[in-house]
Amino acid sequence: MLICTTPAEMQAACRHVRGSAHSLGLVPTMGALHAGHLSLVSAALTQNDAVAASIFVNPTQFGPNEDYAAYPRTFDEDCRKLTEAGVALLFAPTAADMYPSGNTTFVDPGPIATRLDGASRPGHFRGVATIVTRLFHIVQPDRAYFGQKDAAQAAVLRHIVRDLNLPVELVVCPIVREPDGLALSSRNRYLSAGERSRALALSRALAAAGDLAGHGETRAEALRAAMLSVFSVDAGPDAAPVRLDYAAVVDPDTLLPVADTSRGALLAVAAFIGATRLIDNLLIPAHEG
Ligand code: AMP
């Protein structure tokens, strides 16, 4: 695996790979890689002649009181995993490489960037849209791979790809979970044992609402109430607090609330488990009949 650290180096390496391979897939990450990330790499390997990955903890998508400095960085282990998986090229720039002084150009996706996580984390999706657009320009992949785990991010990226006519196909891959349902996340490593079990509230809330939807319930308020009831269970006096950020029933493309899920919907939750903010979601298929 060739590791590039500057945009110019990566651009040249990708030009070379695209010259010899028919198609190039890109898997953007912030590192601290787990099986969820590697599932994107596997999908990319099956659909492209060559695969590039990136590891960049992007400062512009973190708020001032968020975990940018503390975000887990496990570069050597990540390189080993990507090499074993068969990634040909890794882009691992520094923040100064991606945002040199005098850098003032950003990509603002508009109102969609203010919904779900965009409401709780102002500026987050502007940072995501900016870095992903830059990665697309540097790598010029045929396809780029993202996780359904970040459903709002996928919606924002679909939006900018369409608005900016970016010549890339977005591929959104299913959420990889632990056997007990917890969605894999680099941030799970922040959790203490007690917090780890409390974190199951997210997937359980979604499962409860999903069950109800599976039995024909299409009223968003009823599905939302099912999610809230899981979060309101008192975990006892020693429990680390679980603070719900949002539990929403929205259109998966616009991220706007829907009242009825007959035509399909996204159930999305975000919660703080102690100091750690986790997200999870479930897609409800269109109701048949
Ligand atoms: P991150 O490193 O957290 O920015 O994630 C990089 C990519 O991996 C994003 O497209 C995420 O949606 C995806 N991803 C993260 N966790 C999972 C998971 N549990 N299952 C599938 N994809 C994931």
Side-chain angles (χ1 to χ4, degrees):
M1 182 174 72
L2 177 65
I3 302 176
C4 300
T5 56
T6 68
E9 239 184 296
M10 185 66 178
Q11 232 151 8
C14 290
R15 203 175 298 127
H16 183 75
V17 169
R18 282 196 316 271
S20 51
H22 294 301
S23 60
L24 177 60
L26 171 66
V27 180
T29 81
M30 297 204 300
L33 300 182
H34 51 65
H37 297 113
L38 297 177
S39 74
L40 307 185
V41 171
S42 304
L45 282 163
T46 62
Q47 296 176 352
N48 301 274
D49 298 310
V51 172
S54 62
I55 295 179
F56 181 60
V57 185
N58 174 35
T60 65
Q61 70 189 67
F62 286 80
N65 299 315
E66 293 183 350
D67 57 343
Y68 174 67
Y71 196 83
R73 287 161 171 88
T74 57
F75 187 70
D76 293 340
E77 207 184 316
D78 292 350
C79 286
R80 188 180 54 69
K81 290 179 181 170
L82 294 174
T83 306
E84 264 174 31
V87 168
L89 270 176
L90 173 63
F91 184 40
T94 64
D97 286 320
M98 289 310 281
Y99 299 103
S101 69
N103 181 105
T104 56
T105 306
F106 285 83
V107 176
D108 180 354
I112 193 171
T114 64
R115 298 173 191 150
L116 297 185
D117 307 290
S120 319
R121 306 180 67 188
H124 171 66
F125 286 131
R126 177 182 187 255
V128 169
T130 299
I131 193 65
V132 171
T133 303
R134 288 179 189 208
L135 290 172
F136 285 174
H137 279 112
I138 292 166
V139 175
Q140 297 183 29
D142 297 277
R143 298 180 193 85
Y145 294 79
F146 297 90
Q148 175 62 23
K149 161 82 174 15
D150 294 82
Q153 169 173 280
V156 168
L157 295 177
R158 279 194 292 268
H159 189 87
I160 63 164
V161 163
R162 195 197 61 197
D163 280 4
L164 300 177
N165 302 106
L166 299 178
V168 59
E169 180 190 336
L170 295 188
V171 182
V172 179
C173 301
I175 302 176
V176 177
R177 298 178 178 281
E178 302 277 10
D180 63 5
L182 183 69
L184 297 193
S185 163
S186 303
R187 290 189 168 97
N188 289 350
R189 63 183 77 203
Y190 295 148
L191 303 172
S192 67
E195 288 171 339
R196 166 72 181 67
S197 66
R198 242 96 61 204
L200 291 174
L202 284 89
S203 53
R204 285 187 182 149
L206 293 165
D211 265 5
L212 212 54
H215 285 93
E217 180 60 77
T218 62
R219 291 169 302 157
E221 261 324 303
L223 300 178
R224 195 160 171 276
M227 292 193 273
L228 294 182
S229 70
V230 172
F231 281 98
S232 64
V233 171
D234 185 358
D238 299 332
V242 174
R243 184 163 62 81
L244 185 66
D245 179 354
Y246 64 72
V249 183
V250 299
D251 178 292
D253 290 316
T254 64
L255 307 180
L256 287 168
V258 294
D260 184 274
T261 63
S262 306
R263 288 155 66 179
L266 174 72
L267 308 183
V269 292
F272 286 91
I273 315 297
T276 304
R277 185 177 181 278
L278 298 179
I279 59 174
D280 200 351
N281 67 83
L282 180 68
L283 273 173
I284 299 287
H287 193 64
E288 285 165 23

